[in-house]
């Protein structure tokens, strides 16, 4: 057998062929330094990802973050392969163009900027490919589970200010630590706590599991102004009823669950104009048999459109549904009655000798076209809510995959 100079020198020093291979692996930037479910992450890829992150001005320990993001990318690719996910021929090219477009650059211009920072095009392509595979996997796996109702959109579009600028909340909290590698366990525990519907059971969970200083008090917080809370948390709390717990909320290294104990909505109302949509159902004279029958049928109505089913077999003119209008343009009695209603709620108006059922259909911020404001787009809100819910499913799924992955360093 003819020996190469390197192998001959190694054998002369008493090293085995295996030792030589190991030595080569430790010195080559293209050798795997992390194996994720059998897929390698090389030292070169880590250095490339660090440079990519530097270009994107990402903060933190970039080496640690680069290893983390590449590990997650390998898991995303592995999971997509297990599910038989493939990409269309031009999907990656379009994805690269879309990403570059966020910086108002063409793909060619963006790749050129990457090259100046020492990042090669395959690094960019691999990054986009992993993201696209994951997006397709998540869409196929979770999109069928997400159903956004018109009521969900109404609540999302309902202005926080409509509840009063001085709103106070009385809540309890459970904060579960979620250190690296234990995210899946924390989410699983948080999911169980979020299903609790008893303040006493929630308090016991806080005493046993919460990492917050409030644990000794059963997680109970005192009354606080809603404005003191992070903006992203406000609509979540406002959607809760007393005794209802929120879904798990990811924090930095922790998972939080909140339970609503009380809501004080008697603060000063916002001065921003609102546009209100409403519907009325003519009941006839007070105490009439027809009015009583209509009220009985209307008790199950959840939306203004449901009122048309209530009058089935009767003149449809009993229901009126004016176009949404600014508060100041509404009849005073209707505007006053609507002020205390949430979307889908009803009240009885006495108008002359007759009575009407009044239901609030919508409450939105008034649009000032002169200032370039545009009306909320229901389709855009629906898409945002879908993406948020799918994203929540995806985060939990990725945490599970990471927890169950075989990750080794050769």
């Amino acid at each position: 057998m003819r020996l190469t100079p390197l192998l001959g020198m190694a054998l002369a020093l008493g090293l085995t062929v295996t030792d030589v291979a190991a030595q080569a692996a430790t010195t080559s930037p293209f050798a795997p330094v992390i194996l994720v479910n059998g897929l390698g992450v090389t030292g070169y890829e880590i250095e490339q990802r660090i440079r990519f992150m530097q270009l994107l001005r990402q903060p933190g320990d970039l080496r640690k973050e680069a290893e983390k993001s590449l590990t997650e990318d390998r898991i995303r690719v592995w999971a997509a392969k297990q599910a038989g996910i493939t990409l269309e021929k031009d999907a990656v090219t379009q994805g690269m163009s879309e990403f570059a477009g966020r910086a108002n650059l063409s793909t060619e211009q963006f790749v050129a900027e990457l090259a100046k920072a020492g990042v090669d095009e395959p690094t960019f392509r691999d990054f986009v490919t992993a993201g696209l595979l994951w997006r397709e996997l998540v869409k196929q796996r979770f999109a069928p589970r997400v159903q956004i109702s018109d009521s969900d959109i109404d609540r999302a579009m309902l202005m926080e200010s409509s509840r009063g600028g001085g709103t106070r909340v009385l809540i309890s909290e459970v904060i579960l630590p979620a250190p690296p590698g234990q995210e899946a366990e924390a989410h699983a525990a948080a999911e169980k706590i979020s299903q609790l519907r008893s303040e006493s059971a929630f308090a016991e969970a806080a005493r046993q599991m919460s990492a917050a200083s409030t644990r000794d008090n059963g997680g109970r917080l005192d009354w606080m102004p809603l404005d003191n809370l992070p903006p992203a948390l406000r609509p979540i709390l406002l959607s809760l009823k007393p005794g209802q717990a929120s879904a798990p909320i990811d924090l930095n290294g922790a998972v939080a669950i909140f339970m609503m104990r009380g809501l004080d909505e008697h603060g000063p109302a916002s001065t921003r104009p609102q546009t209100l949509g409403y519907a009325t159902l003519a009941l006839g004279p007070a105490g009439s048999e027809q009015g009583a029958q209509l009220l009985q049928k209307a008790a199950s109505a959840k939306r203004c459109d449901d009122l048309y089913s209530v009058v089935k077999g009767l003149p449809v003119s009993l229901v009126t549904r004016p176009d949404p209008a600014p508060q100041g343009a509404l009849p005073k009695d209707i505007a006053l009655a609507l002020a205390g209603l949430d979307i889908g709620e009803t009240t009885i108006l006495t108008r002359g000798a007759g009575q009407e059922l009044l239901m609030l259909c919508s409450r939105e911020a008034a649009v000032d076209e002169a200032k370039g404001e545009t009306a909320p787009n229901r389709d855009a809100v629906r898409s945002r809510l879908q993406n948020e819910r799918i994203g929540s499913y995806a985060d939990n799924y990725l945490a599970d995959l990471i927890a169950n992955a075989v990750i080794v360093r050769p």
Side-chain angles (χ1 to χ4, degrees), residues 294-307:
L294 288 173
L295 277 177
Q296 185 177 11
K297 292 181 180 179
S300 61
K302 303 300 182 184
R303 297 182 50 78
C304 291
D305 288 344
D306 297 339
L307 296 179

Side-chain angles (χ1 to χ4, degrees), residues 109-123:
Q109 291 171 327
F110 190 75
V111 168
E113 292 299 318
L114 290 176
K116 293 178 184 178
V119 180
D120 59 31
E121 183 176 355
T123 294

Side-chain angles (χ1 to χ4, degrees), residues 263-274:
L263 182 66
D264 176 9
E265 302 179 83
H266 299 295
S270 170
T271 57
R272 184 172 182 180
Q274 300 176 15

